[in-house]
Amino acid sequence: MSSWRVRADRLRDGYLRLRARAYASPLGRIGVKLAVAVLGTLVVAVGVVLLPLPGPGWVIILAGLALLAMEFAWARRLLHFTRAQLLRWTGLVREGSWLVRIISVGGLFLVVAGAMLLSLRMLA
């Protein structure tokens, strides 16, 4: 097994032990939910702020949603829906004709160029 996988397993096991200890009392359960809600919302908010700038805004939003999905069922459903739509879109682009690929990449280029233009205007 690779070293990163071993480290990830240890980190996950440590998190699960800590979570089980916190969930042993009703106050701990509320504390965990509150901490995850605040942290996840903060990460999503940072991602939303970064959306008009060139950078990983959507990735940060999805990371915040993944944090929220650790404790909340609505976030888990939204994350699964988002993942399914992303897989559907990538499948459409992969299996589509060259015209579909060119239009998709062109549209993506226009969105990125527009975001860069807006961010440069905001900075000027």
Side-chain angles (χ1 to χ4, degrees):
M1 198 181 298
S2 62
S3 64
W4 68 267
R5 186 69 172 161
V6 170
R7 279 183 272 178
D9 287 343
R10 283 185 192 154
L11 186 63
R12 187 188 71 233
D13 292 342
Y15 165 74
L16 291 175
R17 278 194 304 274
L18 184 64
R19 183 177 176 196
R21 186 182 303 163
Y23 265 54
S25 71
L27 186 60
R29 185 173 298 141
I30 291 171
V32 170
K33 280 197 179 284
L34 186 63
V36 168
V38 168
L39 185 63
T41 303
L42 184 65
V43 171
V44 169
V46 167
V48 169
V49 168
L50 292 177
L51 273 179
L53 302 174
W58 285 111
V59 174
I60 292 173
I61 290 173
L62 291 175
L65 191 60
L67 280 172
L68 290 169
M70 289 172 29
E71 290 295 324
F72 301 103
W74 63 266
R76 201 170 307 119
R77 286 191 306 268
L78 183 59
L79 190 61
H80 286 301
F81 173 77
T82 305
R83 189 177 297 153
Q85 295 306 312
L86 184 62
L87 288 173
R88 190 179 124 234
W89 183 79
T90 54
L92 176 76
V93 171
R94 260 191 210 142
E95 296 169 6
S97 66
W98 281 102
L99 180 63
V100 169
R101 292 178 185 187
I102 290 170
I103 290 172
S104 298
V105 171
L108 180 62
F109 176 73
L110 287 175
V111 168
V112 169
M116 289 178 66
L117 182 65
L118 285 174
S119 66
L120 290 176
R121 284 191 180 178
M122 288 173 66
L123 293 174

